[in-house]
Amino acid sequence: MDLMPDDVLQLRGEALDALTAAGDDGALDAWHVTYFGRKDGRLTAILRGLAARSIDERKSIGAAANALKTELEAAYDARRDELRAAAVRRALEGGAIDVTLPPRPHTRGGLHPVTQTLRRILAAFTSMGFSVVEGPEVELDYYNFEALRIPADHPARDMWDTLWVDAPLDGQRALLMRTHTSPAQIRTMEQQAPPIRIVVPGRAYRFEATDTTHEWMMTQVEVLAVDEGLTLAHLKGTLLGVMQRLFGSGRRIRLQCSYFPFVEPGAEVQMDCFNCAGAGCATCHQTGWIEMGGAGMVHPEILENMGIDSNRYTGFAAGMGIERLAMQLYGVPDMRFFYQNDLRMLRQF
Ligand code: DAH
């Protein structure tokens, strides 16, 4: 420091004295502004003034001023730490900090049981060579109904009495909250030639009276495979493989004849009730079986409409409700529990 030009040396003495005198955060801040302030800081002014000096001065004063800057910054940090430590010490002595108080627990978030179930199902399908695609939740009448062979006056529309979006479009261009994930079958066949193997997870909406197994919003997984030589046996084998992977080899499924306009033949996929093991209870509406979804062989007319030769290719399709599978997996007796957002319920998973 003895090489410092006089004014820098003088500034150093003043600054260090003032720092020692600063007794709290407010005084520390003021000190910092006095010496380092961007506009009028005293050290800042010296550094800024260098430009006007001769080369020799610039060298000697510049070196000294920069060394002082480093020194003062370190002194400032040290003084700040010292003041803080002193404040904590005073608080402890005065009893203001109770070091025996237990910390608040960190609460960990978790995945919703329906999300967990969905992921397990997708994992089962992708391990069998299916890929995951998605479709829009607000859908055109065309994809949700028309292209699936459900024209405007078809009685099958009653099954999907639903929620329409108020938009100035009508007919096939009317918009609705999709009632199922099946429209994604059409969207996929429009884009892709066989072989096709896809699963489509997503939400579906219906104007529905709720009960233990019905909600107005639900999660579905759609399955579609189109290839040469596919039969109903492939459909049943695929679904059984997935269900056994999820529930173990003991669980049974059955296909019961049913009608969906976009498949021929069509079936309802059912699984024996987890709650009563088939005896009949409130959860399965006394039947011993719970409907997991629909399935069937893709209607040849749809294949043809999509430009797929129905003499060469066949397809199978299925759509499953994930909440019902989650009910089975976790033994939840009422579907409505999933969306009441009661943490006492959700924390169990
Ligand atoms: N989309 C139907 C529903 O939500 C379920 C369904 C039935 C999907 C048959 C299919 C199928 O893929 O082939 O009620």
Side-chain angles (χ1 to χ4, degrees), residues 313-348:
Y313 293 103
T314 49
F316 67 74
M320 284 176 288
I322 305 308
E323 284 79 5
R324 291 193 185 171
L325 287 170
M327 287 170 75
Q328 297 260 3
L329 264 183
Y330 299 114
V332 176
D334 191 320
M335 187 187 276
R336 292 166 293 193
F337 291 164
F338 287 129
Y339 299 114
Q340 285 168 347
N341 285 338
D342 186 335
L343 288 177
R344 291 168 304 179
M345 146 82 185
L346 295 175
R347 281 206 177 108
Q348 297 175 53

PDB file of all heavy atoms in Angstrom, residues 313-348:
ATOM      1  N   TYR A 313     -56.118 -55.599 -45.752  1.00  0.00           N
ATOM      2  CA  TYR A 313     -55.861 -55.255 -44.351  1.00  0.00           C
ATOM      3  C   TYR A 313     -57.101 -55.410 -43.476  1.00  0.00           C
ATOM      4  O   TYR A 313     -58.219 -55.153 -43.928  1.00  0.00           O
ATOM      5  CB  TYR A 313     -55.394 -53.803 -44.228  1.00  0.00           C
ATOM      6  CG  TYR A 313     -54.050 -53.550 -44.848  1.00  0.00           C
ATOM      7  CD1 TYR A 313     -53.947 -52.911 -46.083  1.00  0.00           C
ATOM      8  CD2 TYR A 313     -52.882 -53.958 -44.197  1.00  0.00           C
ATOM      9  CE1 TYR A 313     -52.713 -52.683 -46.662  1.00  0.00           C
ATOM     10  CE2 TYR A 313     -51.644 -53.737 -44.778  1.00  0.00           C
ATOM     11  CZ  TYR A 313     -51.565 -53.097 -46.012  1.00  0.00           C
ATOM     12  OH  TYR A 313     -50.342 -52.875 -46.573  1.00  0.00           O
ATOM     13  N   THR A 314     -56.857 -55.787 -42.224  1.00  0.00           N
ATOM     14  CA  THR A 314     -57.923 -55.729 -41.218  1.00  0.00           C
ATOM     15  C   THR A 314     -57.356 -54.983 -40.021  1.00  0.00           C
ATOM     16  O   THR A 314     -56.151 -54.804 -39.901  1.00  0.00           O
ATOM     17  CB  THR A 314     -58.370 -57.138 -40.768  1.00  0.00           C
ATOM     18  OG1 THR A 314     -57.213 -57.910 -40.447  1.00  0.00           O
ATOM     19  CG2 THR A 314     -59.181 -57.832 -41.846  1.00  0.00           C
ATOM     20  N   GLY A 315     -58.270 -54.560 -39.135  1.00  0.00           N
ATOM     21  CA  GLY A 315     -57.776 -53.822 -37.976  1.00  0.00           C
ATOM     22  C   GLY A 315     -58.594 -54.164 -36.748  1.00  0.00           C
ATOM     23  O   GLY A 315     -59.755 -54.551 -36.852  1.00  0.00           O
ATOM     24  N   PHE A 316     -57.973 -54.061 -35.591  1.00  0.00           N
ATOM     25  CA  PHE A 316     -58.777 -54.142 -34.364  1.00  0.00           C
ATOM     26  C   PHE A 316     -58.624 -52.855 -33.581  1.00  0.00           C
ATOM     27  O   PHE A 316     -57.623 -52.141 -33.718  1.00  0.00           O
ATOM     28  CB  PHE A 316     -58.440 -55.382 -33.520  1.00  0.00           C
ATOM     29  CG  PHE A 316     -57.076 -55.429 -32.890  1.00  0.00           C
ATOM     30  CD1 PHE A 316     -56.750 -54.636 -31.790  1.00  0.00           C
ATOM     31  CD2 PHE A 316     -56.112 -56.311 -33.376  1.00  0.00           C
ATOM     32  CE1 PHE A 316     -55.505 -54.705 -31.194  1.00  0.00           C
ATOM     33  CE2 PHE A 316     -54.849 -56.389 -32.781  1.00  0.00           C
ATOM     34  CZ  PHE A 316     -54.553 -55.584 -31.689  1.00  0.00           C
ATOM     35  N   ALA A 317     -59.650 -52.554 -32.797  1.00  0.00           N
ATOM     36  CA  ALA A 317     -59.647 -51.305 -32.032  1.00  0.00           C
ATOM     37  C   ALA A 317     -60.275 -51.559 -30.677  1.00  0.00           C
ATOM     38  O   ALA A 317     -61.061 -52.490 -30.498  1.00  0.00           O
ATOM     39  CB  ALA A 317     -60.438 -50.236 -32.774  1.00  0.00           C
ATOM     40  N   ALA A 318     -59.908 -50.720 -29.721  1.00  0.00           N
ATOM     41  CA  ALA A 318     -60.516 -50.802 -28.392  1.00  0.00           C
ATOM     42  C   ALA A 318     -60.420 -49.444 -27.738  1.00  0.00           C
ATOM     43  O   ALA A 318     -59.565 -48.625 -28.104  1.00  0.00           O
ATOM     44  CB  ALA A 318     -59.800 -51.852 -27.536  1.00  0.00           C
ATOM     45  N   GLY A 319     -61.310 -49.183 -26.808  1.00  0.00           N
ATOM     46  CA  GLY A 319     -61.243 -47.945 -26.037  1.00  0.00           C
ATOM     47  C   GLY A 319     -61.549 -48.298 -24.593  1.00  0.00           C
ATOM     48  O   GLY A 319     -62.562 -48.944 -24.319  1.00  0.00           O
ATOM     49  N   MET A 320     -60.648 -47.907 -23.698  1.00  0.00           N
ATOM     50  CA  MET A 320     -60.837 -48.289 -22.289  1.00  0.00           C
ATOM     51  C   MET A 320     -60.909 -47.077 -21.387  1.00  0.00           C
ATOM     52  O   MET A 320     -60.249 -46.065 -21.635  1.00  0.00           O
ATOM     53  CB  MET A 320     -59.653 -49.139 -21.841  1.00  0.00           C
ATOM     54  CG  MET A 320     -59.714 -50.554 -22.366  1.00  0.00           C
ATOM     55  SD  MET A 320     -58.250 -51.429 -21.901  1.00  0.00           S
ATOM     56  CE  MET A 320     -57.064 -50.659 -22.957  1.00  0.00           C
ATOM     57  N   GLY A 321     -61.702 -47.199 -20.332  1.00  0.00           N
ATOM     58  CA  GLY A 321     -61.790 -46.134 -19.341  1.00  0.00           C
ATOM     59  C   GLY A 321     -60.748 -46.364 -18.255  1.00  0.00           C
ATOM     60  O   GLY A 321     -60.723 -47.405 -17.609  1.00  0.00           O
ATOM     61  N   ILE A 322     -59.867 -45.364 -18.087  1.00  0.00           N
ATOM     62  CA  ILE A 322     -58.751 -45.551 -17.161  1.00  0.00           C
ATOM     63  C   ILE A 322     -59.179 -45.461 -15.706  1.00  0.00           C
ATOM     64  O   ILE A 322     -58.638 -46.135 -14.827  1.00  0.00           O
ATOM     65  CB  ILE A 322     -57.638 -44.523 -17.452  1.00  0.00           C
ATOM     66  CG1 ILE A 322     -57.217 -44.629 -18.917  1.00  0.00           C
ATOM     67  CG2 ILE A 322     -56.436 -44.732 -16.554  1.00  0.00           C
ATOM     68  CD1 ILE A 322     -56.869 -46.021 -19.349  1.00  0.00           C
ATOM     69  N   GLU A 323     -60.182 -44.617 -15.411  1.00  0.00           N
ATOM     70  CA  GLU A 323     -60.639 -44.523 -14.023  1.00  0.00           C
ATOM     71  C   GLU A 323     -61.122 -45.882 -13.527  1.00  0.00           C
ATOM     72  O   GLU A 323     -60.855 -46.271 -12.389  1.00  0.00           O
ATOM     73  CB  GLU A 323     -61.761 -43.492 -13.881  1.00  0.00           C
ATOM     74  CG  GLU A 323     -61.281 -42.041 -13.919  1.00  0.00           C
ATOM     75  CD  GLU A 323     -61.006 -41.560 -15.335  1.00  0.00           C
ATOM     76  OE1 GLU A 323     -61.281 -42.313 -16.300  1.00  0.00           O
ATOM     77  OE2 GLU A 323     -60.519 -40.417 -15.488  1.00  0.00           O
ATOM     78  N   ARG A 324     -61.807 -46.605 -14.386  1.00  0.00           N
ATOM     79  CA  ARG A 324     -62.313 -47.911 -13.949  1.00  0.00           C
ATOM     80  C   ARG A 324     -61.175 -48.886 -13.693  1.00  0.00           C
ATOM     81  O   ARG A 324     -61.234 -49.703 -12.778  1.00  0.00           O
ATOM     82  CB  ARG A 324     -63.267 -48.483 -14.993  1.00  0.00           C
ATOM     83  CG  ARG A 324     -64.540 -47.657 -15.034  1.00  0.00           C
ATOM     84  CD  ARG A 324     -65.613 -48.365 -15.797  1.00  0.00           C
ATOM     85  NE  ARG A 324     -66.778 -47.485 -15.915  1.00  0.00           N
ATOM     86  CZ  ARG A 324     -67.816 -47.739 -16.670  1.00  0.00           C
ATOM     87  NH1 ARG A 324     -67.862 -48.855 -17.382  1.00  0.00           N
ATOM     88  NH2 ARG A 324     -68.826 -46.913 -16.717  1.00  0.00           N
ATOM     89  N   LEU A 325     -60.135 -48.788 -14.520  1.00  0.00           N
ATOM     90  CA  LEU A 325     -58.969 -49.639 -14.270  1.00  0.00           C
ATOM     91  C   LEU A 325     -58.278 -49.238 -12.975  1.00  0.00           C
ATOM     92  O   LEU A 325     -57.834 -50.091 -12.201  1.00  0.00           O
ATOM     93  CB  LEU A 325     -57.981 -49.528 -15.438  1.00  0.00           C
ATOM     94  CG  LEU A 325     -58.417 -50.235 -16.722  1.00  0.00           C
ATOM     95  CD1 LEU A 325     -57.506 -49.857 -17.865  1.00  0.00           C
ATOM     96  CD2 LEU A 325     -58.414 -51.740 -16.519  1.00  0.00           C
ATOM     97  N   ALA A 326     -58.200 -47.929 -12.727  1.00  0.00           N
ATOM     98  CA  ALA A 326     -57.578 -47.456 -11.489  1.00  0.00           C
ATOM     99  C   ALA A 326     -58.392 -47.923 -10.281  1.00  0.00           C
ATOM    100  O   ALA A 326     -57.833 -48.278  -9.240  1.00  0.00           O
ATOM    101  CB  ALA A 326     -57.456 -45.933 -11.504  1.00  0.00           C
ATOM    102  N   MET A 327     -59.718 -47.946 -10.417  1.00  0.00           N
ATOM    103  CA  MET A 327     -60.575 -48.448  -9.335  1.00  0.00           C
ATOM    104  C   MET A 327     -60.212 -49.895  -9.027  1.00  0.00           C
ATOM    105  O   MET A 327     -60.083 -50.298  -7.873  1.00  0.00           O
ATOM    106  CB  MET A 327     -62.051 -48.383  -9.751  1.00  0.00           C
ATOM    107  CG  MET A 327     -62.630 -46.977  -9.788  1.00  0.00           C
ATOM    108  SD  MET A 327     -64.273 -46.948 -10.549  1.00  0.00           S
ATOM    109  CE  MET A 327     -65.272 -47.660  -9.231  1.00  0.00           C
ATOM    110  N   GLN A 328     -60.018 -50.667 -10.082  1.00  0.00           N
ATOM    111  CA  GLN A 328     -59.656 -52.075  -9.918  1.00  0.00           C
ATOM    112  C   GLN A 328     -58.285 -52.231  -9.282  1.00  0.00           C
ATOM    113  O   GLN A 328     -58.086 -53.003  -8.360  1.00  0.00           O
ATOM    114  CB  GLN A 328     -59.611 -52.760 -11.300  1.00  0.00           C
ATOM    115  CG  GLN A 328     -60.899 -52.796 -12.032  1.00  0.00           C
ATOM    116  CD  GLN A 328     -61.593 -54.153 -11.890  1.00  0.00           C
ATOM    117  OE1 GLN A 328     -61.118 -55.038 -11.200  1.00  0.00           O
ATOM    118  NE2 GLN A 328     -62.718 -54.296 -12.544  1.00  0.00           N
ATOM    119  N   LEU A 329     -57.326 -51.429  -9.804  1.00  0.00           N
ATOM    120  CA  LEU A 329     -55.945 -51.564  -9.342  1.00  0.00           C
ATOM    121  C   LEU A 329     -55.810 -51.228  -7.868  1.00  0.00           C
ATOM    122  O   LEU A 329     -55.091 -51.885  -7.123  1.00  0.00           O
ATOM    123  CB  LEU A 329     -55.042 -50.605 -10.125  1.00  0.00           C
ATOM    124  CG  LEU A 329     -54.300 -51.126 -11.337  1.00  0.00           C
ATOM    125  CD1 LEU A 329     -53.418 -50.010 -11.886  1.00  0.00           C
ATOM    126  CD2 LEU A 329     -53.434 -52.332 -10.982  1.00  0.00           C
ATOM    127  N   TYR A 330     -56.493 -50.160  -7.452  1.00  0.00           N
ATOM    128  CA  TYR A 330     -56.272 -49.662  -6.096  1.00  0.00           C
ATOM    129  C   TYR A 330     -57.427 -49.960  -5.159  1.00  0.00           C
ATOM    130  O   TYR A 330     -57.421 -49.544  -4.003  1.00  0.00           O
ATOM    131  CB  TYR A 330     -56.044 -48.146  -6.146  1.00  0.00           C
ATOM    132  CG  TYR A 330     -54.828 -47.763  -6.954  1.00  0.00           C
ATOM    133  CD1 TYR A 330     -54.950 -47.045  -8.137  1.00  0.00           C
ATOM    134  CD2 TYR A 330     -53.550 -48.128  -6.535  1.00  0.00           C
ATOM    135  CE1 TYR A 330     -53.846 -46.692  -8.886  1.00  0.00           C
ATOM    136  CE2 TYR A 330     -52.437 -47.786  -7.289  1.00  0.00           C
ATOM    137  CZ  TYR A 330     -52.592 -47.068  -8.447  1.00  0.00           C
ATOM    138  OH  TYR A 330     -51.501 -46.724  -9.192  1.00  0.00           O
ATOM    139  N   GLY A 331     -58.450 -50.653  -5.669  1.00  0.00           N
ATOM    140  CA  GLY A 331     -59.580 -50.982  -4.814  1.00  0.00           C
ATOM    141  C   GLY A 331     -60.384 -49.757  -4.396  1.00  0.00           C
ATOM    142  O   GLY A 331     -60.806 -49.627  -3.257  1.00  0.00           O
ATOM    143  N   VAL A 332     -60.599 -48.827  -5.333  1.00  0.00           N
ATOM    144  CA  VAL A 332     -61.398 -47.631  -5.037  1.00  0.00           C
ATOM    145  C   VAL A 332     -62.853 -47.908  -5.435  1.00  0.00           C
ATOM    146  O   VAL A 332     -63.125 -48.186  -6.599  1.00  0.00           O
ATOM    147  CB  VAL A 332     -60.863 -46.407  -5.820  1.00  0.00           C
ATOM    148  CG1 VAL A 332     -61.749 -45.186  -5.596  1.00  0.00           C
ATOM    149  CG2 VAL A 332     -59.432 -46.108  -5.392  1.00  0.00           C
ATOM    150  N   PRO A 333     -63.781 -47.871  -4.505  1.00  0.00           N
ATOM    151  CA  PRO A 333     -65.146 -48.314  -4.798  1.00  0.00           C
ATOM    152  C   PRO A 333     -66.011 -47.289  -5.540  1.00  0.00           C
ATOM    153  O   PRO A 333     -67.090 -47.641  -6.004  1.00  0.00           O
ATOM    154  CB  PRO A 333     -65.733 -48.594  -3.412  1.00  0.00           C
ATOM    155  CG  PRO A 333     -64.974 -47.697  -2.504  1.00  0.00           C
ATOM    156  CD  PRO A 333     -63.594 -47.570  -3.079  1.00  0.00           C
ATOM    157  N   ASP A 334     -65.564 -46.040  -5.643  1.00  0.00           N
ATOM    158  CA  ASP A 334     -66.416 -45.026  -6.261  1.00  0.00           C
ATOM    159  C   ASP A 334     -65.559 -44.100  -7.137  1.00  0.00           C
ATOM    160  O   ASP A 334     -64.615 -43.466  -6.662  1.00  0.00           O
ATOM    161  CB  ASP A 334     -67.110 -44.197  -5.155  1.00  0.00           C
ATOM    162  CG  ASP A 334     -68.220 -43.306  -5.712  1.00  0.00           C
ATOM    163  OD1 ASP A 334     -68.040 -42.717  -6.800  1.00  0.00           O
ATOM    164  OD2 ASP A 334     -69.268 -43.198  -5.040  1.00  0.00           O
ATOM    165  N   MET A 335     -65.893 -44.020  -8.415  1.00  0.00           N
ATOM    166  CA  MET A 335     -65.090 -43.244  -9.362  1.00  0.00           C
ATOM    167  C   MET A 335     -65.010 -41.763  -9.001  1.00  0.00           C
ATOM    168  O   MET A 335     -64.016 -41.091  -9.260  1.00  0.00           O
ATOM    169  CB  MET A 335     -65.707 -43.380 -10.761  1.00  0.00           C
ATOM    170  CG  MET A 335     -64.883 -42.755 -11.857  1.00  0.00           C
ATOM    171  SD  MET A 335     -65.756 -42.784 -13.422  1.00  0.00           S
ATOM    172  CE  MET A 335     -65.389 -44.398 -14.001  1.00  0.00           C
ATOM    173  N   ARG A 336     -66.077 -41.267  -8.361  1.00  0.00           N
ATOM    174  CA  ARG A 336     -66.127 -39.832  -8.062  1.00  0.00           C
ATOM    175  C   ARG A 336     -65.043 -39.397  -7.081  1.00  0.00           C
ATOM    176  O   ARG A 336     -64.672 -38.232  -7.026  1.00  0.00           O
ATOM    177  CB  ARG A 336     -67.516 -39.466  -7.550  1.00  0.00           C
ATOM    178  CG  ARG A 336     -68.569 -39.598  -8.645  1.00  0.00           C
ATOM    179  CD  ARG A 336     -69.969 -39.571  -8.119  1.00  0.00           C
ATOM    180  NE  ARG A 336     -70.261 -40.756  -7.312  1.00  0.00           N
ATOM    181  CZ  ARG A 336     -71.481 -41.113  -6.933  1.00  0.00           C
ATOM    182  NH1 ARG A 336     -72.514 -40.382  -7.283  1.00  0.00           N
ATOM    183  NH2 ARG A 336     -71.670 -42.201  -6.201  1.00  0.00           N
ATOM    184  N   PHE A 337     -64.512 -40.371  -6.308  1.00  0.00           N
ATOM    185  CA  PHE A 337     -63.451 -40.033  -5.353  1.00  0.00           C
ATOM    186  C   PHE A 337     -62.214 -39.448  -6.051  1.00  0.00           C
ATOM    187  O   PHE A 337     -61.476 -38.657  -5.471  1.00  0.00           O
ATOM    188  CB  PHE A 337     -63.009 -41.275  -4.564  1.00  0.00           C
ATOM    189  CG  PHE A 337     -64.050 -41.792  -3.595  1.00  0.00           C
ATOM    190  CD1 PHE A 337     -63.927 -43.072  -3.059  1.00  0.00           C
ATOM    191  CD2 PHE A 337     -65.129 -41.018  -3.217  1.00  0.00           C
ATOM    192  CE1 PHE A 337     -64.871 -43.558  -2.167  1.00  0.00           C
ATOM    193  CE2 PHE A 337     -66.083 -41.498  -2.326  1.00  0.00           C
ATOM    194  CZ  PHE A 337     -65.954 -42.772  -1.800  1.00  0.00           C
ATOM    195  N   PHE A 338     -61.967 -39.870  -7.288  1.00  0.00           N
ATOM    196  CA  PHE A 338     -60.740 -39.440  -7.973  1.00  0.00           C
ATOM    197  C   PHE A 338     -60.672 -37.933  -8.186  1.00  0.00           C
ATOM    198  O   PHE A 338     -59.600 -37.356  -8.227  1.00  0.00           O
ATOM    199  CB  PHE A 338     -60.620 -40.122  -9.339  1.00  0.00           C
ATOM    200  CG  PHE A 338     -60.253 -41.576  -9.246  1.00  0.00           C
ATOM    201  CD1 PHE A 338     -60.994 -42.541  -9.914  1.00  0.00           C
ATOM    202  CD2 PHE A 338     -59.161 -41.989  -8.500  1.00  0.00           C
ATOM    203  CE1 PHE A 338     -60.653 -43.878  -9.847  1.00  0.00           C
ATOM    204  CE2 PHE A 338     -58.810 -43.326  -8.419  1.00  0.00           C
ATOM    205  CZ  PHE A 338     -59.567 -44.281  -9.087  1.00  0.00           C
ATOM    206  N   TYR A 339     -61.834 -37.307  -8.381  1.00  0.00           N
ATOM    207  CA  TYR A 339     -61.806 -35.891  -8.762  1.00  0.00           C
ATOM    208  C   TYR A 339     -62.408 -34.960  -7.719  1.00  0.00           C
ATOM    209  O   TYR A 339     -62.764 -33.832  -8.018  1.00  0.00           O
ATOM    210  CB  TYR A 339     -62.469 -35.717 -10.133  1.00  0.00           C
ATOM    211  CG  TYR A 339     -61.720 -36.494 -11.185  1.00  0.00           C
ATOM    212  CD1 TYR A 339     -62.291 -37.572 -11.838  1.00  0.00           C
ATOM    213  CD2 TYR A 339     -60.392 -36.174 -11.474  1.00  0.00           C
ATOM    214  CE1 TYR A 339     -61.574 -38.310 -12.777  1.00  0.00           C
ATOM    215  CE2 TYR A 339     -59.672 -36.905 -12.399  1.00  0.00           C
ATOM    216  CZ  TYR A 339     -60.262 -37.969 -13.045  1.00  0.00           C
ATOM    217  OH  TYR A 339     -59.538 -38.683 -13.966  1.00  0.00           O
ATOM    218  N   GLN A 340     -62.491 -35.447  -6.479  1.00  0.00           N
ATOM    219  CA  GLN A 340     -62.965 -34.558  -5.425  1.00  0.00           C
ATOM    220  C   GLN A 340     -61.815 -33.792  -4.782  1.00  0.00           C
ATOM    221  O   GLN A 340     -62.021 -32.961  -3.903  1.00  0.00           O
ATOM    222  CB  GLN A 340     -63.735 -35.370  -4.381  1.00  0.00           C
ATOM    223  CG  GLN A 340     -65.111 -35.763  -4.899  1.00  0.00           C
ATOM    224  CD  GLN A 340     -65.809 -36.802  -4.040  1.00  0.00           C
ATOM    225  OE1 GLN A 340     -65.178 -37.420  -3.185  1.00  0.00           O
ATOM    226  NE2 GLN A 340     -67.078 -36.988  -4.259  1.00  0.00           N
ATOM    227  N   ASN A 341     -60.584 -34.134  -5.195  1.00  0.00           N
ATOM    228  CA  ASN A 341     -59.394 -33.445  -4.685  1.00  0.00           C
ATOM    229  C   ASN A 341     -59.302 -33.458  -3.166  1.00  0.00           C
ATOM    230  O   ASN A 341     -58.880 -32.469  -2.555  1.00  0.00           O
ATOM    231  CB  ASN A 341     -59.350 -31.997  -5.195  1.00  0.00           C
ATOM    232  CG  ASN A 341     -58.940 -31.957  -6.651  1.00  0.00           C
ATOM    233  OD1 ASN A 341     -58.320 -32.895  -7.140  1.00  0.00           O
ATOM    234  ND2 ASN A 341     -59.297 -30.910  -7.345  1.00  0.00           N
ATOM    235  N   ASP A 342     -59.711 -34.557  -2.571  1.00  0.00           N
ATOM    236  CA  ASP A 342     -59.580 -34.710  -1.129  1.00  0.00           C
ATOM    237  C   ASP A 342     -58.221 -35.364  -0.864  1.00  0.00           C
ATOM    238  O   ASP A 342     -57.984 -36.511  -1.254  1.00  0.00           O
ATOM    239  CB  ASP A 342     -60.725 -35.608  -0.610  1.00  0.00           C
ATOM    240  CG  ASP A 342     -60.734 -35.678   0.900  1.00  0.00           C
ATOM    241  OD1 ASP A 342     -59.653 -35.476   1.525  1.00  0.00           O
ATOM    242  OD2 ASP A 342     -61.810 -35.931   1.467  1.00  0.00           O
ATOM    243  N   LEU A 343     -57.343 -34.584  -0.202  1.00  0.00           N
ATOM    244  CA  LEU A 343     -55.978 -35.088  -0.021  1.00  0.00           C
ATOM    245  C   LEU A 343     -55.928 -36.360   0.819  1.00  0.00           C
ATOM    246  O   LEU A 343     -55.035 -37.176   0.674  1.00  0.00           O
ATOM    247  CB  LEU A 343     -55.100 -34.005   0.606  1.00  0.00           C
ATOM    248  CG  LEU A 343     -54.751 -32.856  -0.345  1.00  0.00           C
ATOM    249  CD1 LEU A 343     -53.936 -31.799   0.370  1.00  0.00           C
ATOM    250  CD2 LEU A 343     -54.012 -33.363  -1.568  1.00  0.00           C
ATOM    251  N   ARG A 344     -56.925 -36.530   1.718  1.00  0.00           N
ATOM    252  CA  ARG A 344     -56.924 -37.766   2.518  1.00  0.00           C
ATOM    253  C   ARG A 344     -57.073 -38.976   1.619  1.00  0.00           C
ATOM    254  O   ARG A 344     -56.546 -40.050   1.878  1.00  0.00           O
ATOM    255  CB  ARG A 344     -58.072 -37.741   3.538  1.00  0.00           C
ATOM    256  CG  ARG A 344     -57.872 -36.724   4.636  1.00  0.00           C
ATOM    257  CD  ARG A 344     -59.134 -36.545   5.423  1.00  0.00           C
ATOM    258  NE  ARG A 344     -60.249 -36.160   4.533  1.00  0.00           N
ATOM    259  CZ  ARG A 344     -61.492 -35.962   4.952  1.00  0.00           C
ATOM    260  NH1 ARG A 344     -61.811 -36.133   6.216  1.00  0.00           N
ATOM    261  NH2 ARG A 344     -62.429 -35.611   4.087  1.00  0.00           N
ATOM    262  N   MET A 345     -57.781 -38.789   0.522  1.00  0.00           N
ATOM    263  CA  MET A 345     -57.935 -39.869  -0.469  1.00  0.00           C
ATOM    264  C   MET A 345     -56.664 -39.974  -1.327  1.00  0.00           C
ATOM    265  O   MET A 345     -56.055 -41.031  -1.461  1.00  0.00           O
ATOM    266  CB  MET A 345     -59.172 -39.561  -1.324  1.00  0.00           C
ATOM    267  CG  MET A 345     -59.123 -39.966  -2.767  1.00  0.00           C
ATOM    268  SD  MET A 345     -59.527 -41.707  -2.981  1.00  0.00           S
ATOM    269  CE  MET A 345     -59.240 -41.894  -4.748  1.00  0.00           C
ATOM    270  N   LEU A 346     -56.218 -38.843  -1.885  1.00  0.00           N
ATOM    271  CA  LEU A 346     -55.141 -38.869  -2.879  1.00  0.00           C
ATOM    272  C   LEU A 346     -53.792 -39.257  -2.274  1.00  0.00           C
ATOM    273  O   LEU A 346     -52.949 -39.841  -2.946  1.00  0.00           O
ATOM    274  CB  LEU A 346     -55.041 -37.519  -3.588  1.00  0.00           C
ATOM    275  CG  LEU A 346     -56.274 -37.157  -4.434  1.00  0.00           C
ATOM    276  CD1 LEU A 346     -56.149 -35.763  -4.996  1.00  0.00           C
ATOM    277  CD2 LEU A 346     -56.466 -38.167  -5.568  1.00  0.00           C
ATOM    278  N   ARG A 347     -53.583 -38.924  -1.000  1.00  0.00           N
ATOM    279  CA  ARG A 347     -52.289 -39.237  -0.383  1.00  0.00           C
ATOM    280  C   ARG A 347     -52.055 -40.730  -0.209  1.00  0.00           C
ATOM    281  O   ARG A 347     -50.960 -41.153   0.123  1.00  0.00           O
ATOM    282  CB  ARG A 347     -52.205 -38.572   0.995  1.00  0.00           C
ATOM    283  CG  ARG A 347     -51.871 -37.106   0.900  1.00  0.00           C
ATOM    284  CD  ARG A 347     -51.179 -36.611   2.167  1.00  0.00           C
ATOM    285  NE  ARG A 347     -50.819 -35.213   1.987  1.00  0.00           N
ATOM    286  CZ  ARG A 347     -51.456 -34.208   2.629  1.00  0.00           C
ATOM    287  NH1 ARG A 347     -52.407 -34.488   3.493  1.00  0.00           N
ATOM    288  NH2 ARG A 347     -51.096 -32.982   2.397  1.00  0.00           N
ATOM    289  N   GLN A 348     -53.103 -41.521  -0.397  1.00  0.00           N
ATOM    290  CA  GLN A 348     -52.922 -42.960  -0.188  1.00  0.00           C
ATOM    291  C   GLN A 348     -52.193 -43.643  -1.349  1.00  0.00           C
ATOM    292  O   GLN A 348     -51.895 -44.827  -1.271  1.00  0.00           O
ATOM    293  CB  GLN A 348     -54.296 -43.619  -0.007  1.00  0.00           C
ATOM    294  CG  GLN A 348     -55.032 -43.137   1.211  1.00  0.00           C
ATOM    295  CD  GLN A 348     -56.432 -43.733   1.285  1.00  0.00           C
ATOM    296  OE1 GLN A 348     -56.593 -44.939   1.213  1.00  0.00           O
ATOM    297  NE2 GLN A 348     -57.431 -42.878   1.377  1.00  0.00           N
TER     298      GLN A 348
END
